[in-house]
Amino acid sequence: GAGVSQSPSNKVTEKGKDVELRCDPISGHTALYWYRQSLGQGLEFLIYFQGNSAPDKSGLPSDRFSAERTGGSVSTLTIQRTQQEDSAVYLCASSSGLVRNEQFFGPGTRLTVL
Amino acid sequence: EDKVVQSPLSLVVHEGDTVTLNCSYEVTNFRSLLWYKQEKKAPTFLFMLTSSGIEKKSGRLSSILDKKELFSILNITATQTGDSAVYLCAPGSNFGNEKLTFGTGTRLTIIP
């Protein structure tokens, strides 16, 4: 079946602009995660959605970052007033939410803030 | 704060060699450790280890978890150029259903 998809694959924006990144999880997966990976760094957790529960936003680096998940499926990560340090690859993952299961990652969106 | 340290940071070997990648961790309420392979952007899942001393095998790849000493190793035998990637480990407290804390990874390069 189809895996996790993300769009756009690449985004170049100017400092101060807002951007929206989209994630389509695997159909039926109740859990959705956003991570970012800066150059040469490991994956940094941003936010986690599980079913209808309140999202775990503990990894969001500032109030310029927000995310929503509509209808328990598609998720959008929004970065307002982008800064150069926001440049990174933003990865989305989903999992079935069952006990003992792995997270499946999308191809990511490479964000470059000029 | 959870900590994950992977070593070495990078490794270059010739095709056919055997490599051992290390992951040490400090995680509250540890329950599982996941290994991922990242070739370009999307990490792909390799193993989930939950019990100490259990060795997981998948072809030429195997992994061991030591919950007492808080580390895991990933072994790759008879390496091939397709093994070139960044290998990431991520310990967690809910068998994968949670935010994962990833190490910075080991960049493995296989020379033909």
Side-chain angles (χ1 to χ4, degrees), chain A residues 9 33 35 37 42-43 45 48 56 58 97-98 100-103 105-107, chain B residues 34 36 38 41-43 45 48 50 88 95-100 102-104:
Chain A
S9 56
Y33 315 77
Y35 296 87
Q37 188 173 31
L43 277 71
F45 166 77
Y48 162 41
D56 178 349
S58 60
L98 300 175
R100 299 183 60 133
N101 71 100
E102 69 268 27
Q103 297 177 22
F105 283 83
Chain B
L34 288 76
Y36 281 84
Q38 186 177 28
K41 286 185 182 178
F45 173 77
M48 179 186 294
T50 58
L88 300 163
F95 303 111
N97 293 308
E98 80 257 66
K99 57 185 180 183
L100 295 174
F102 283 86
T104 53

Side-chain angles (χ1 to χ4, degrees), chain B:
Chain B
E1 182 179 335
D2 294 347
K3 294 181 181 179
V4 185
V5 178
Q6 291 189 244
S7 63
L9 293 180
S10 66
L11 186 59
V12 181
V13 300
H14 288 93
E15 197 168 20
D17 288 350
T18 294
V19 298
T20 298
L21 311 181
N22 304 291
C23 174
S24 63
Y25 61 88
E26 292 179 27
V27 172
T28 304
N29 298 322
F30 173 86
R31 288 186 178 175
S32 65
L33 186 140
L34 288 76
W35 281 97
Y36 281 84
K37 177 183 181 181
Q38 186 177 28
E39 294 180 77
K40 292 184 178 179
K41 286 185 182 178
T44 54
F45 173 77
L46 293 175
F47 296 117
M48 179 186 294
L49 299 136
T50 58
S51 300
S52 191
I54 298 296
E55 181 176 354
K56 291 274 192 175
K57 288 188 175 182
S58 175
R60 296 175 295 102
L61 276 67
S62 63
S63 184
I64 297 175
L65 175 67
D66 188 325
K67 293 170 69 174
K68 180 179 179 182
E69 300 298 330
L70 307 183
F71 76 88
S72 176
I73 61 173
L74 176 67
N75 283 313
I76 308 176
T77 61
T79 52
Q80 304 171 355
T81 55
D83 296 327
S84 294
V86 175
Y87 290 83
L88 300 163
C89 74
S93 57
N94 194 20
F95 303 111
N97 293 308
E98 80 257 66
K99 57 185 180 183
L100 295 174
T101 301
F102 283 86
T104 53
T106 293
R107 180 173 296 279
L108 176 63
T109 302
I110 308 300
I111 300 172

